[in-house]
Amino acid sequence: MPHTLSKLLSMLCLIGLLASLLGCDTAPTPPMDLGTPTTLSATPTPTPPATSEPAAACTTPAVVGKLNLLPLPDNVLEPVALAMLNGRLYVAGQRSHNVGVIENEQLSRVIPVGSEPTALVADEASGKLFVLHSQGLLLSMLDGERVQATIPLSNSLKGEFQSALSMVGDPLNHRLYVALRTPLPDPEIVVVDTQAFTVSTRVPFNRNNSINQMALDTARNELLVADYDATHSTGYINTLDLQSLRWTDEIKMAGKGVSNFLLYDPQSSRAYTDYTEMWSDHHIGVIDSGRLVSSLTIDRQPQAAQVAGGRLYLTNSYSSTLMVNLQTFQTMGTIDVDAAPEVSALLVDAPHERLYIAVRARYWPEASRIEVVDLKRMAVAHVIPLSAQPRQLVADATRNRLYALMPAARAVVASDGQRVLAQVSLERAPFQMVLDEAAGKLYISEFSGNSVNVMDAAASKLVERKSINGSGVVAVDKARSRLLVSNRTYALDTLAPTGQYTVTPFTPPPGVIYLRPPEALLVNPSVPRIYAVGWNGVLGGNDGNIIYLLDGDTLQQLSRDFDWTVTNIALDDEAQRLYATLYVKHTETTRLKVFDALNLTPISAMYLPTRTWVKTMLLNSNTHHLFLAHARYVNTTEADNTLEVLDTRTLGRVALLALNRGPTVMAALGERVYIASSTDTNLTIVRDCALPAPPPPTATP
């Protein structure tokens, strides 16, 4: 269609749409009849993927199958501890409440162990694995395959509000030492007999301090315990004689003391720890015979550490791994690893010269993985994914493809909706992707690394990795041949920087959205409008994300919606309406709100089932259906992890389907909707179909 005629028709459609809204009831509670959407142009129906179920008349959306993207026995989410036993690597998944077993550099099986495993200790002599649970104050004993027994560690005399802090194994004395935080007046060390598997004694700490870390000094038969005195902002390392179980020496540390690790090296008979001075000066300290004898200044606070082979390995959330020579106590260099978003544990496999790095990904559990470092080459050899949960799904109707972003595998998986066709490896863990369907290119941003990956969608091949100044959410503005990454713009062909935008939140002085990056970006393909979901600028209990409307030509802010907190947005390009789900924390309610896509004027709103979180939302323009995935966060009745399907013409309910717990992302390919779950290693496939519009729901106050 010629450009002038296309613009004329678009204007006529918008005039007609605005005219139809003049008499509308704009009260936020009762949903109104939105009418039949105006078709802007004829859009060819995408070819649906081939399915194995027999063809039948579709009367309602229904679950029709599963699609496996990454063959894993289960998800091990938020790995927090590592242990080696009988040549196998064990990893504790705190969020998934299990322990994964890694053999031949892949996750082979998963052992359910109970709520929130937080620490692991392996006893090679007995072949037992001990698992400490932060919730419930329990200790489990595994034979490497299953849980054999579980005992409580809580002190009945201390009442509630007890929690476990850390655990150290003492195989020669057949003991475990567990640091326990209790109410006033003091914490305590729980001593467990590993042969009888009972609590043998409790050692009071006699201080109202917070125990941070522990280490076993095998040469002196002592337990080193680091604690922090919050009242005086002072850290200490105390010594517990393991023969008499009495406290002996005390070392006063500079600044706020030990933060994240306390390790003992049998080879040098010394202990190593980190401490922070003046909140910003980070040091590595050497402890010998009860004294701090040396220190090394480092530029960042470490998150995890491991001592092996005369070297100290350190890493923090976003940096490479730093190596320190323990003889000279000088830095030897770094190993370039993808440590983002957060490292929780290190483990050295000395016989095989490997270093395992557990990436915790607390706020992005789908990125849970283990980076494997070859210590001969001082480089990452490969990645062991712990999660088959995609962070994002994107449908490509032109090529009948479904692309899944898999941060745990550092890859993009391409499928035809029935089977996996290709897996494209990436250098860094991906954050988000966007498809330029006409050009057949996928643009992929990273968690860290300030780069954009360009993938040929048809060939399933990575063609470029371009360094840029920033990272985050991405969107394609095809009409202006540019790529949006967070608050910056780049030319689609060269990825050269072309500009940036700012937004004005509620509170002065005017803020800029890149100080707290937008969490969603959406470009309107038919009119010059961009929608950014970002921080409202309010500190305290009223902070949240709101929708900012930008002019697509000038990148200037036009307006903003005052409702918060926005969790999802979706655009109906034919009807030029923007849908948003909002969560109101003070009333524990969720709402669906409909806007005019041109000026962000509210059209209608309706309440959704309370005490649920709409984790993901999808608009299937082929069927005029809006899919809302309700994830439970407290006890509910109707909307307990369900998929609610609404008709966009009336907002009437089409269907309500049960899902596995924790729906995360969705995509529609033809009349198939693919849904990922946080507790399932497969995608759930829902068959969708065009149906008569149901009546609007009854208005409620």
Side-chain angles (χ1 to χ4, degrees), residues 336-360:
D336 186 22
V337 298
D338 185 11
E342 181 182 0
V343 170
S344 60
L346 302 179
L347 189 143
V348 175
D349 180 5
H352 299 95
E353 297 186 84
R354 292 188 181 98
L355 172 66
Y356 296 100
I357 302 175
V359 179
R360 182 176 186 175

CSV table of all heavy atoms in Angstrom, one decimal, residues 336-360:
chain,number,residue,atom,x,y,z
A,336,ASP,N,38.5,-14.8,33.1
A,336,ASP,CA,37.3,-14.1,32.6
A,336,ASP,C,36.1,-15.1,32.6
A,336,ASP,O,36.1,-16.0,31.8
A,336,ASP,CB,37.5,-13.6,31.1
A,336,ASP,CG,36.4,-12.8,30.6
A,336,ASP,OD1,35.6,-12.3,31.4
A,336,ASP,OD2,36.2,-12.7,29.4
A,337,VAL,N,35.2,-14.8,33.5
A,337,VAL,CA,34.0,-15.7,33.6
A,337,VAL,C,32.7,-14.8,33.6
A,337,VAL,O,32.8,-13.6,33.8
A,337,VAL,CB,34.0,-16.5,34.9
A,337,VAL,CG1,35.1,-17.5,35.0
A,337,VAL,CG2,34.0,-15.6,36.1
A,338,ASP,N,31.6,-15.4,33.2
A,338,ASP,CA,30.3,-14.7,33.2
A,338,ASP,C,29.7,-14.9,34.6
A,338,ASP,O,28.9,-15.8,34.8
A,338,ASP,CB,29.4,-15.2,32.1
A,338,ASP,CG,28.1,-14.5,32.0
A,338,ASP,OD1,28.1,-13.4,32.6
A,338,ASP,OD2,27.2,-14.9,31.3
A,339,ALA,N,30.1,-14.0,35.5
A,339,ALA,CA,29.7,-14.2,36.9
A,339,ALA,C,28.4,-13.5,37.2
A,339,ALA,O,27.9,-13.6,38.3
A,339,ALA,CB,30.8,-13.6,37.8
A,340,ALA,N,27.8,-12.8,36.2
A,340,ALA,CA,26.5,-12.1,36.5
A,340,ALA,C,25.4,-13.1,36.4
A,340,ALA,O,25.4,-14.1,35.6
A,340,ALA,CB,26.3,-11.1,35.4
A,341,PRO,N,24.3,-12.9,37.2
A,341,PRO,CA,24.1,-11.8,38.1
A,341,PRO,C,24.7,-11.9,39.5
A,341,PRO,O,25.0,-10.9,40.1
A,341,PRO,CB,22.6,-11.6,38.1
A,341,PRO,CG,22.1,-12.9,37.8
A,341,PRO,CD,23.0,-13.7,37.0
A,342,GLU,N,24.9,-13.1,40.0
A,342,GLU,CA,25.4,-13.2,41.4
A,342,GLU,C,26.1,-14.6,41.6
A,342,GLU,O,25.5,-15.6,41.3
A,342,GLU,CB,24.3,-13.0,42.4
A,342,GLU,CG,24.7,-13.1,43.8
A,342,GLU,CD,23.6,-13.0,44.8
A,342,GLU,OE1,22.4,-12.8,44.3
A,342,GLU,OE2,23.8,-13.0,46.0
A,343,VAL,N,27.3,-14.6,42.1
A,343,VAL,CA,28.0,-15.8,42.5
A,343,VAL,C,27.7,-16.1,43.9
A,343,VAL,O,27.8,-15.3,44.8
A,343,VAL,CB,29.5,-15.6,42.2
A,343,VAL,CG1,30.3,-16.8,42.8
A,343,VAL,CG2,29.8,-15.5,40.7
A,344,SER,N,27.4,-17.4,44.2
A,344,SER,CA,27.2,-17.8,45.6
A,344,SER,C,28.2,-18.8,46.1
A,344,SER,O,28.3,-18.9,47.3
A,344,SER,CB,25.8,-18.5,45.6
A,344,SER,OG,25.7,-19.6,44.8
A,345,ALA,N,28.9,-19.5,45.3
A,345,ALA,CA,29.8,-20.5,45.8
A,345,ALA,C,30.9,-20.9,44.8
A,345,ALA,O,30.6,-20.8,43.6
A,345,ALA,CB,29.1,-21.8,46.2
A,346,LEU,N,32.0,-21.2,45.2
A,346,LEU,CA,33.1,-21.8,44.4
A,346,LEU,C,33.5,-23.1,45.0
A,346,LEU,O,33.4,-23.4,46.2
A,346,LEU,CB,34.3,-20.8,44.4
A,346,LEU,CG,34.2,-19.4,44.0
A,346,LEU,CD1,35.5,-18.7,44.1
A,346,LEU,CD2,33.7,-19.3,42.6
A,347,LEU,N,34.0,-24.0,44.1
A,347,LEU,CA,34.6,-25.3,44.5
A,347,LEU,C,35.6,-25.7,43.5
A,347,LEU,O,35.4,-25.7,42.3
A,347,LEU,CB,33.5,-26.3,44.6
A,347,LEU,CG,33.9,-27.7,45.3
A,347,LEU,CD1,32.8,-28.2,46.1
A,347,LEU,CD2,34.3,-28.7,44.2
A,348,VAL,N,36.8,-26.1,44.1
A,348,VAL,CA,37.9,-26.5,43.2
A,348,VAL,C,38.0,-28.0,43.2
A,348,VAL,O,38.0,-28.7,44.3
A,348,VAL,CB,39.3,-25.9,43.8
A,348,VAL,CG1,40.4,-26.5,43.0
A,348,VAL,CG2,39.3,-24.4,43.7
A,349,ASP,N,38.0,-28.6,42.0
A,349,ASP,CA,38.2,-30.0,41.8
A,349,ASP,C,39.6,-30.2,41.4
A,349,ASP,O,40.0,-30.2,40.2
A,349,ASP,CB,37.2,-30.5,40.7
A,349,ASP,CG,37.4,-32.0,40.4
A,349,ASP,OD1,38.1,-32.7,41.2
A,349,ASP,OD2,36.8,-32.5,39.5
A,350,ALA,N,40.5,-30.4,42.5
A,350,ALA,CA,41.9,-30.4,42.2
A,350,ALA,C,42.4,-31.5,41.3
A,350,ALA,O,43.2,-31.3,40.4
A,350,ALA,CB,42.7,-30.5,43.6
A,351,PRO,N,41.9,-32.8,41.5
A,351,PRO,CA,42.4,-33.9,40.6
A,351,PRO,C,42.1,-33.6,39.1
A,351,PRO,O,42.9,-34.0,38.3
A,351,PRO,CB,41.6,-35.1,41.1
A,351,PRO,CG,41.2,-34.8,42.5
A,351,PRO,CD,41.0,-33.3,42.5
A,352,HIS,N,41.0,-32.9,38.8
A,352,HIS,CA,40.7,-32.7,37.4
A,352,HIS,C,41.0,-31.2,37.0
A,352,HIS,O,40.7,-30.8,35.9
A,352,HIS,CB,39.2,-33.0,37.1
A,352,HIS,CG,38.9,-34.4,37.4
A,352,HIS,ND1,38.3,-34.8,38.6
A,352,HIS,CD2,38.9,-35.5,36.6
A,352,HIS,CE1,38.1,-36.1,38.5
A,352,HIS,NE2,38.5,-36.6,37.3
A,353,GLU,N,41.6,-30.5,37.9
A,353,GLU,CA,42.0,-29.1,37.7
A,353,GLU,C,40.9,-28.2,37.1
A,353,GLU,O,41.0,-27.6,36.0
A,353,GLU,CB,43.2,-29.0,36.7
A,353,GLU,CG,44.5,-29.7,37.3
A,353,GLU,CD,45.7,-29.5,36.4
A,353,GLU,OE1,46.4,-28.5,36.6
A,353,GLU,OE2,46.0,-30.5,35.7
A,354,ARG,N,39.8,-28.2,37.8
A,354,ARG,CA,38.6,-27.5,37.4
A,354,ARG,C,38.1,-26.6,38.6
A,354,ARG,O,38.3,-27.0,39.8
A,354,ARG,CB,37.4,-28.4,37.0
A,354,ARG,CG,37.7,-29.1,35.7
A,354,ARG,CD,36.4,-29.9,35.3
A,354,ARG,NE,36.6,-30.6,34.1
A,354,ARG,CZ,36.8,-31.9,34.0
A,354,ARG,NH1,36.9,-32.6,35.2
A,354,ARG,NH2,37.0,-32.5,32.9
A,355,LEU,N,37.6,-25.5,38.3
A,355,LEU,CA,37.0,-24.6,39.3
A,355,LEU,C,35.5,-24.4,38.9
A,355,LEU,O,35.2,-24.0,37.8
A,355,LEU,CB,37.7,-23.2,39.3
A,355,LEU,CG,37.0,-22.1,40.1
A,355,LEU,CD1,37.0,-22.5,41.6
A,355,LEU,CD2,37.6,-20.8,39.9
A,356,TYR,N,34.6,-24.8,39.8
A,356,TYR,CA,33.2,-24.7,39.6
A,356,TYR,C,32.7,-23.4,40.3
A,356,TYR,O,32.9,-23.2,41.4
A,356,TYR,CB,32.4,-25.9,40.1
A,356,TYR,CG,32.8,-27.2,39.4
A,356,TYR,CD1,33.7,-28.1,40.0
A,356,TYR,CD2,32.2,-27.5,38.2
A,356,TYR,CE1,34.0,-29.3,39.4
A,356,TYR,CE2,32.5,-28.7,37.6
A,356,TYR,CZ,33.4,-29.6,38.2
A,356,TYR,OH,33.8,-30.7,37.5
A,357,ILE,N,31.9,-22.6,39.5
A,357,ILE,CA,31.4,-21.3,40.0
A,357,ILE,C,29.9,-21.4,39.9
A,357,ILE,O,29.3,-21.5,38.8
A,357,ILE,CB,31.9,-20.2,39.2
A,357,ILE,CG1,33.4,-20.1,39.2
A,357,ILE,CG2,31.3,-18.8,39.7
A,357,ILE,CD1,34.1,-19.1,38.3
A,358,ALA,N,29.2,-21.4,41.0
A,358,ALA,CA,27.7,-21.4,41.1
A,358,ALA,C,27.2,-20.0,40.9
A,358,ALA,O,27.5,-19.1,41.7
A,358,ALA,CB,27.2,-22.0,42.4
A,359,VAL,N,26.4,-19.8,39.9
A,359,VAL,CA,25.7,-18.5,39.6
A,359,VAL,C,24.3,-18.6,40.2
A,359,VAL,O,23.5,-19.3,39.8
A,359,VAL,CB,25.7,-18.2,38.1
A,359,VAL,CG1,25.0,-16.9,37.9
A,359,VAL,CG2,27.1,-18.1,37.6
A,360,ARG,N,24.1,-17.8,41.3
A,360,ARG,CA,22.9,-17.9,42.1
A,360,ARG,C,21.7,-17.3,41.4
A,360,ARG,O,20.6,-17.9,41.4
A,360,ARG,CB,23.1,-17.2,43.4
A,360,ARG,CG,21.9,-17.3,44.3
A,360,ARG,CD,22.3,-16.6,45.7
A,360,ARG,NE,21.2,-16.8,46.7
A,360,ARG,CZ,21.3,-16.4,47.9
A,360,ARG,NH1,22.4,-15.9,48.3
A,360,ARG,NH2,20.3,-16.6,48.8
